[in-house]
Amino acid sequence: MSDESRPEPPDGALDTAPKRRGKAKRKHTVGRVVLISALVLALITGLSTVYFIRHLNGNIEGVSTDALDEDARPQEVYTGNGEPLDILVMGSDSRDCDGCGIDQEGGGGSDTTILVHLSADRSRAYAVSIPRDSIVNRPEDGCDSPAVTDVIWNAAYSVGGPLCTMRQLEENTGIRVEHFIVVDFASFGSMVDAVGGVPVCVPEDIKDPKHSIFVPKGNPSVLTGDEALDYVRARYVGDLIQQNDISRIRRQQEFIGALVREVLSAGTLTRLDKVVRFLDAATKSLTTDDEFANVTRLGKVAMQLQGIGLDKIKFVTLPTAYYPRDSDFWGRVYWTDQATQIWKLIAEDKELPAKLIGGTSVSAEGPPGSSESPSAGGSSTGTPETSTGTPTGTPTETPTETPTETPTETGTPTSPTTPTETTDPEDKIYGVCA
């Protein structure tokens, strides 16, 4: 609103107006940031809304899904009122940087895969992290290669990019994915720097000299963009190397929650320079499906999120267990019966009960580093190894529910008959605070 059109208050009104009471803490949502920030920029700075949208749209690369076999894709299971939304989020690492190649992989891999589910009534949201070491079946559709069984999850991105990973998830879960988003790790670091760093509680230094990684301990430790990348990608915590990806998933969940809280804080939203830098960094090098390659469309989804508070956004690690030591897949994980239950409930747009996800979930609400206390909830954990990479032995931990067989109708491989029992280690092994 311009100065010319803003009405002047009557004489003495400012002197007689009652003092405002302290405002109660309000619940925020992730999606509202884009919409609110765009309006603030347009109204207060006078920046052209059209120019601003065109600029952000120019940062986003759209990928067509027309080549996918529609008949092979799962149909929507939910038939109630409203429309649930499933968005597959992937983190892409070009590895064109010092210290990259942590997992002895080539460039263009995807070490982070999260299915974000928004309920039809927009009252809750789940972000389910899939361990990169999961052994699954990969379809031909979308992957530009013959279908194959019993392959590691994150190989799909190298084979066929985001479309292959999306179809792999659909084949193994029976969930239809409406949209996908790929966030480049370099842009992720720029997003962190744009808000002036993100505070995270780090119980001890995270060091990996071989890959030039160092994250300082602190409660909290305010991480820069480079430190944040190290924090969410490191395999070494203290003197241990994690055998699988669970420790990194836990740190990623803690950090994403802390980043969301930082973006929604008054220290960011009231600083227009931070808002401009963050939105530019958030959309730069972003790859989505064609329909999502438009900030207007993203803004509409943001408006639908208004009823979801941070306390209703849950990060969940998919429950897994180790293959036995004598298996060809030793060191890899398979999805347990609890994972099958999670996918079924999400497909039906039902709430995930605490008894199913209580030991593996992290809320987006609360101070940095806070989370629900770990318990034996059926998730696998990284088996500590020495720095030479030799496993120290079979995890001696609280057993999870032994899966009998992963349903063949979802396409996942048959589970071994004698799983290695796993449980959650201490938070310090994860590299997070309790």
Side-chain angles (χ1 to χ4, degrees):
M1 183 180 292
S2 65
D3 292 337
E4 289 79 2
S5 59
R6 183 183 294 110
E8 294 292 332
D11 293 340
L14 295 179
D15 296 329
T16 60
K19 294 183 179 180
R20 293 182 178 180
R21 297 178 179 269
K23 291 184 178 180
K25 182 179 179 182
R26 298 182 61 187
K27 297 180 179 178
H28 298 285
T29 62
V30 179
R32 292 158 72 182
V33 175
V34 174
L35 182 63
I36 294 173
S37 301
L39 292 175
V40 168
L41 287 171
L43 296 177
I44 299 182
T45 69
L47 182 66
S48 168
T49 303
V50 174
Y51 172 81
F52 182 64
I53 291 177
R54 284 179 178 175
H55 173 72
L56 295 183
N57 283 341
N59 287 342
I60 305 174
E61 177 185 355
V63 175
S64 174
T65 60
D66 292 343
L68 297 180
D69 183 359
E70 189 63 30
D71 293 335
R73 301 184 65 190
Q75 298 300 310
E76 189 67 59
V77 175
Y78 177 75
T79 58
N81 295 327
E83 181 181 359
L85 198 60
D86 292 286
I87 305 169
L88 188 63
V89 179
M90 292 159 275
S92 174
D93 188 357
S94 65
R95 290 180 170 82
D96 296 328
C97 61
D98 294 336
C100 292
I102 287 177
D103 303 298
Q104 292 77 49
E105 298 171 345
S110 176
D111 287 340
T112 301
T113 308
I114 302 173
L115 180 68
V116 177
H117 173 80
L118 309 181
S119 64
D121 61 2
R122 300 303 189 261
S123 66
R124 62 187 181 276
Y126 298 109
V128 183
S129 296
I130 301 173
R132 63 179 291 279
D133 297 317
S134 300
I135 297 298
V136 295
N137 296 333
R138 188 172 67 230
E140 180 177 358
D141 184 37
C143 296
D144 302 325
S145 66
V148 61
T149 60
D150 298 343
V151 292
I152 192 170
W153 173 271
N154 76 323
Y157 194 91
S158 297
V159 171
L163 289 181
C164 184
T165 304
M166 183 183 79
R167 287 292 293 116
Q168 179 175 262
L169 182 135
E170 291 184 335
E171 285 291 308
N172 286 275
T173 67
I175 295 173
R176 184 179 179 89
V177 178
E178 283 78 24
H179 301 289
F180 68 81
I181 297 175
V182 182
V183 181
D184 183 80
F185 276 0
S187 295
F188 175 78
S190 298
M191 290 163 62
V192 174
D193 286 332
V195 297
V198 173
V200 178
C201 183
V202 183
E204 60 182 275
D205 292 343
I206 298 177
K207 297 176 289 186
D208 180 3
K210 180 180 178 181
H211 299 103
S212 302
I213 284 178
F214 177 77
V215 180
K217 66 179 179 181
N219 185 15
S221 179
V222 180
L223 305 185
T224 64
D226 288 340
E227 290 171 337
L229 287 174
D230 289 346
Y231 181 74
V232 300
R233 296 175 63 243
R235 295 291 286 233
Y236 289 89
V237 177
D239 296 327
L240 302 175
I241 180 174
Q242 304 302 322
Q243 184 180 0
N244 67 20
D245 200 37
I246 306 302
S247 63
R248 285 199 297 189
I249 286 176
R250 176 66 180 276
R251 291 197 303 275
Q252 288 168 2
Q253 292 171 341
E254 294 282 358
F255 189 86
I256 292 172
L259 174 60
V260 168
R261 292 190 293 271
E262 186 66 26
V263 170
L264 292 171
S265 69
T268 297
L269 292 180
T270 59
R271 287 280 303 276
L272 297 183
D273 57 332
K274 286 187 176 183
V275 171
V276 172
R277 289 198 301 269
F278 179 79
L279 291 178
D280 192 41
T283 54
K284 190 170 292 183
S285 299
L286 196 69
T287 302
T288 72
D289 58 280
D290 273 347
E291 186 178 353
F292 245 26
N294 185 293
V295 294
T296 302
R297 170 62 176 145
L298 293 172
K300 289 180 179 178
V301 174
M303 294 178 67
Q304 297 172 13
L305 291 170
Q306 290 183 2
I308 303 179
L310 292 182
D311 60 325
K312 297 297 183 180
I313 300 174
K314 301 290 184 182
F315 295 96
V316 180
T317 303
L318 192 69
T320 57
Y322 295 111
Y323 281 88
R325 185 180 289 276
D326 59 356
S327 168
D328 292 338
F329 304 116
W330 165 246
R332 307 303 186 188
V333 298
Y334 64 91
W335 299 351
T336 68
D337 281 349
Q338 289 175 306
T340 303
Q341 294 176 48
I342 287 175
W343 294 135
K344 182 176 184 294
L345 291 173
I346 286 179
E348 296 172 351
D349 194 34
K350 294 181 179 178
E351 187 171 357
L352 300 182
K355 64 180 181 180
L356 185 62
I357 65 170
T360 67
S361 65
V362 175
S363 174
E365 187 185 44
S370 67
S371 67
E372 294 184 23
S373 300
S375 64
S379 66
S380 70
T381 60
T383 304
E385 298 180 357
T386 62
S387 58
T388 60
T390 304
T392 58
T394 302
T396 56
E397 297 158 334
T398 305
T400 59
E401 180 180 352
T402 303
T404 54
E405 184 178 3
T406 304
T408 55
E409 64 267 20
T410 59
T412 50
T414 302
S415 304
T417 56
T418 308
T420 301
E421 298 171 349
T422 60
T423 189
D424 299 318
E426 297 296 328
D427 283 329
K428 284 190 176 183
I429 295 180
Y430 284 123
V432 300
C433 300

